[in-house]
Amino acid sequence: MVDISKTKFIEFLVYPNSISLDEANAIEKIINQYPYFNVAKAVQSIAFKNHNSTKFTSSLKRCSSSSNDRSLLRELITLEKYTSSEKIEEFKEDLDL
């Protein structure tokens, strides 16, 4: 199993398309350790979606059940390209970062 460092997880936030399927499965360890860490659930869902994994549906259900704004979650999950810095800035504003 792949271990994920803090630096690697931050890299996933910036480049969610770079997550391998093994790394997506390894995020499960973080989610189990920090069950209220919704960002990890969202990143895992994005990775499963990108790899057309059968785990995507269950991951998305778990993520949406603890999400305050499901419309923002849906937009984030269905966003085709994550390279647009304009879109990233818009999400940062929505999340008050």
Side-chain angles (χ1 to χ4, degrees):
M1 184 169 223
V2 179
D3 282 336
I4 298 175
S5 66
K6 291 178 187 176
T7 308
K8 189 71 171 171
F9 189 79
I10 291 170
E11 183 181 317
F12 294 160
L13 295 176
V14 177
Y15 305 106
N17 290 332
S18 69
I19 304 171
S20 71
L21 194 54
D22 289 336
E23 292 167 331
N25 287 320
I27 292 174
E28 189 68 33
K29 184 178 177 183
I30 296 171
I31 293 170
N32 289 335
Q33 189 173 5
Y34 304 102
Y36 297 104
F37 189 21
N38 292 334
V39 173
K41 294 175 187 176
V43 167
Q44 186 185 47
S45 294
I46 291 168
F48 285 149
K49 179 184 180 286
N50 289 341
H51 291 286
N52 296 322
S53 174
T54 56
K55 296 180 180 181
F56 171 66
T57 304
S58 62
S59 173
L60 182 61
K61 285 179 185 177
R62 182 171 43 173
C63 184
S64 65
S65 68
S66 60
S67 176
N68 289 335
D69 189 355
R70 290 189 180 121
S71 63
L72 182 62
L73 177 64
R74 179 179 181 195
E75 187 176 340
L76 181 65
I77 297 288
T78 59
L79 191 62
E80 290 299 319
K81 296 194 181 214
Y82 297 96
T83 56
S84 170
S85 60
E86 181 180 302
K87 198 67 170 170
I88 292 170
E89 291 301 319
E90 184 180 319
F91 277 121
K92 284 181 181 178
E93 289 173 12
D94 287 345
L95 297 174
D96 294 328
L97 295 178

